[in-house]
């Protein structure tokens, strides 16, 4: 199933993840959060796209790691 909203991979305690989620929630951005620290399957899925959260996978296939130039937490 292809997502029509950005998918954001996060882990608890990641400052960059919190900043991204806070900003997007304040701006009304619709997204799906997937917590990589809560599921091995989601962790493995996130690692397909990068090794530093937050990882954002956009519906058009683009992938970004980190947030606003900030490095997040290593999950590799």
């Amino acid at each position: 199933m292809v997502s029509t909203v950005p998918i954001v991979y996060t882990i608890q305690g990641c400052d960059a993840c919190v900043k991204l989620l806070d900003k997007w929630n304040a701006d009304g951005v619709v997204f799906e959060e997937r917590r990589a620290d809560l599921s091995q399957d989601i962790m493995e899925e996130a690692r397909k796209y990068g090794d530093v959260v937050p990882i954002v996978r956009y519906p058009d296939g683009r992938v970004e790691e980190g947030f606003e130039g900030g490095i997040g937490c290593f999950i590799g």
Side-chain angles (χ1 to χ4, degrees):
M1 184 174 159
V2 176
S3 179
T4 59
V5 299
I7 297 171
V8 181
Y9 298 94
T10 65
I11 61 172
Q12 183 177 14
C14 171
D15 189 51
C17 295
V18 171
K19 287 178 182 177
L20 182 147
L21 296 175
D22 286 349
K23 175 140 179 47
W24 280 19
N25 282 321
D27 291 348
V29 176
V30 177
F31 62 92
E32 177 185 341
E33 180 184 10
R34 295 188 182 172
R35 289 271 309 272
D37 56 326
L38 298 180
S39 163
Q40 187 62 38
D41 288 340
I42 294 175
M43 180 67 77
E44 290 172 14
E45 182 180 314
R47 286 181 179 147
K48 292 178 186 176
Y49 302 104
D51 56 7
V52 175
V53 292
I55 299 169
V56 180
R57 187 177 61 158
Y58 292 94
D60 66 3
R62 288 180 299 125
V63 175
E64 293 179 0
E65 291 182 86
F67 179 63
E68 293 186 339
I71 303 249
C73 298
F74 184 70
I75 61 166

